[in-house]
Amino acid sequence: MSDEEALVAVEREVALMFRRGRARVAELSRRVHPGLEGMAYSLLGYIEQAEPVRVTDVGVHFAIGKATVSRQVRTLEELGLVAREADPLDRRASLVSLTEDGRRRFLAARDVRMRRVREVMGDWSPEDVARFAVLLHRFNDVLGEPPVE
């Protein structure tokens, strides 16, 4: 396989992974709460990892605008999955954290996802899993950088 063919294969596989990932995230979002769709599961995952986190930082992390992230967080708040409080360092900003119910629901959905990951990667050696994690992290780091023009 030439270098160009390898890059085309990577692009094709990444595109497939993204399409499948979007569908799975939407499914996991509905598993957390039937009223959720889209990337709510991912938002909850980031909030769970970084909490308490500024709403603006959630938007930066996902590269989505202030209005979009505010609407998404408001939906999570209305469903009782996250709680919002004023940022003590800047009263104009809000911090969000998972509620007890939000954490319980998110962790239950994550357990389902992790069972699937374990199933899919069950035949992989621990070394291959670790290497794949390192390479995916490296790839995501590069994707997060602004494009050079």
Side-chain angles (χ1 to χ4, degrees):
M1 179 181 298
S2 72
D3 290 350
E4 186 63 23
E5 289 170 330
L7 289 172
V8 168
V10 167
E11 190 279 331
R12 185 179 329 118
E13 294 301 323
V14 167
L16 178 61
M17 184 173 62
F18 284 166
R19 282 192 306 274
R20 288 177 175 168
R22 276 193 302 273
R24 293 230 167 67
V25 165
E27 178 185 310
L28 287 165
S29 294
R30 288 186 299 276
R31 185 178 289 276
V32 170
H33 191 285
L36 294 179
E37 54 187 53
M39 65 183 288
Y41 174 83
S42 297
L43 287 172
L44 289 168
Y46 179 69
I47 293 168
E48 192 265 343
Q49 171 201 343
E51 69 184 342
V53 61
R54 283 184 176 195
V55 173
T56 53
D57 290 340
V58 175
V60 168
H61 179 77
F62 288 100
I64 55 178
K66 185 178 178 180
T68 300
V69 74
S70 292
R71 186 176 63 253
Q72 297 261 351
V73 168
R74 187 173 34 258
T75 298
L76 295 173
E77 189 176 22
E78 288 169 357
L79 293 172
L81 302 173
V82 301
R84 189 187 305 238
E85 63 183 295
D87 184 340
L89 302 177
D90 180 355
R91 298 307 243 176
R92 298 168 296 171
S94 297
L95 297 173
V96 289
S97 299
L98 297 183
T99 62
E100 186 176 318
D101 186 45
R103 184 174 318 284
R104 182 184 56 74
R105 288 170 176 259
F106 169 75
L107 293 176
R110 186 176 71 185
D111 286 347
V112 169
R113 179 188 63 144
M114 289 308 301
R115 275 196 302 274
R116 177 69 177 141
V117 170
R118 283 185 196 92
E119 176 185 302
V120 167
M121 301 188 88
D123 292 341
W124 292 38
S125 72
E127 296 79 17
D128 282 350
V129 173
R131 179 78 173 137
F132 188 57
V134 167
L135 291 172
L136 278 175
H137 180 77
R138 182 174 159 197
F139 185 77
N140 280 319
D141 275 353
V142 172
L143 282 181
E145 296 173 2
V148 177
E149 305 221 6

